[in-house]
Amino acid sequence: MDHVRPVPDGAPVGVPSGGSPPGAPGATELAELLQRSARGDEAAFAAFYDATSARAYGLALRVVRNPAHAEEVAQEAYLDAWRSSARYDAARGSAAGWFLTIVHRKAVDRVRSVEAATTRDETWDRESAPVDHDQTAEAAYASLEAARVRGAVATLTDVQRQAVELTYFGGYTHTEVAALLDVPLGTAKTRIRDGLIRLRDLMGVAS
C-alpha cells in the first residue's frame, strides 16, 4: 500500500508513507507529537503521520471498501488533524483514539456521499411513484428514531462516544476497539458499557 501523504498548508511534505516503523512512538509519544504539531512543529506532524498512517488507511478502507476513496479519506483526516490539533486534550483520551475517530467520521461521510451520488439518478422515479401511506409513516418514524440516536450519542463523553462509535458504527470487536484506542480491554469494555447505559437512559429503553 503506497498511499499519499496529505499536504496541508505549512505541513510536512515528502516524508515516505507506509506502516509504523520499528520503535514507533507509543501512546504518550503520540500525544506529545500531536501537541507539538499544534504549535506548528512540522517534523512532529511528519512523525505522527508515519506512526499512524497504516492504521488510518486500514480503518478508512474497512469503512469505505474502496482503496482510492480510503486514500482520500485518510488525506482529509490528516488535513483536519493538522488544522485542529490544538483542540486535542490528552486528558480526554489517547492521541490515536482522537485521530482515528476523525478518520472514522470522514469515512462514514464519504460512504454517505457516495451513496447519495449513486442514487441521485433514481430520485425522480422514486419521488414520482405513488407511495403508500403506511410506507410514508414508517419512513418518517425511522427518520425520527435516527435523529434521536444521533442526539443521544452526541451527549456521551468523548471517550464513551469513541468506543461506542467504533463498536456499533464501525463494526469493531471489543478487543479491536481497545487496540485502536490504546487502552486495556477492560477499560474499552467499561467505556462501551457506560455509553450504552447512558444511551438507554436517554432514549427511555427498558433494561
Side-chain angles (χ1 to χ4, degrees):
M1 186 269 293
D2 184 22
H3 51 284
V4 182
R5 173 180 294 280
V7 189
D9 293 339
V13 180
V15 180
S17 62
S20 300
T28 300
E29 290 79 8
L30 282 178
E32 292 174 351
L33 289 173
L34 201 54
Q35 290 165 343
R36 286 167 52 194
S37 298
R39 298 192 292 270
D41 189 330
E42 298 177 4
F45 189 73
F48 181 82
Y49 173 89
D50 289 335
T52 58
S53 58
R55 280 191 290 176
Y57 176 81
L59 174 57
L61 182 61
R62 181 166 183 167
V63 176
V64 302
R65 308 291 184 181
N66 180 294
H69 289 168
E71 294 278 0
E72 294 172 359
V73 164
Q75 290 186 52
E76 291 171 4
Y78 278 106
L79 284 169
D80 196 348
W82 172 254
R83 294 166 178 165
S84 63
S85 53
R87 294 201 294 270
Y88 168 66
D89 182 357
R92 301 175 69 179
S94 70
W98 177 84
F99 176 62
L100 290 175
T101 297
I102 293 175
V103 175
H104 184 262
R105 289 175 179 168
K106 295 283 186 184
V108 171
D109 287 344
R110 175 57 61 94
V111 170
R112 290 170 177 165
S113 176
V114 170
E115 288 176 346
T118 300
T119 60
R120 190 171 295 120
D121 291 339
E122 302 171 358
T123 300
W124 172 255
D125 289 339
R126 184 173 61 252
E127 292 184 349
S128 61
V131 179
D132 181 79
H133 174 75
D134 290 340
Q135 292 178 331
T136 302
E138 290 173 3
Y141 179 77
S143 178
L144 289 173
E145 283 299 294
R148 288 184 65 207
V149 172
R150 287 194 298 270
V153 170
T155 68
L156 301 179
T157 65
D158 286 346
V159 294
Q160 290 173 349
R161 185 168 60 253
Q162 288 177 3
V164 170
E165 285 182 343
L166 288 172
T167 303
Y168 292 96
F169 300 155
Y172 289 91
T173 66
H174 290 182
T175 300
E176 290 171 330
V177 170
L180 287 170
L181 298 182
D182 289 327
V183 298
L185 177 59
T187 300
K189 288 182 176 179
T190 297
R191 292 179 181 179
I192 294 168
R193 184 197 64 218
D194 291 348
L196 292 179
I197 290 174
R198 175 68 175 164
L199 289 176
R200 182 197 66 194
D201 292 343
L202 288 171
M203 299 185 69
V205 178
S207 58

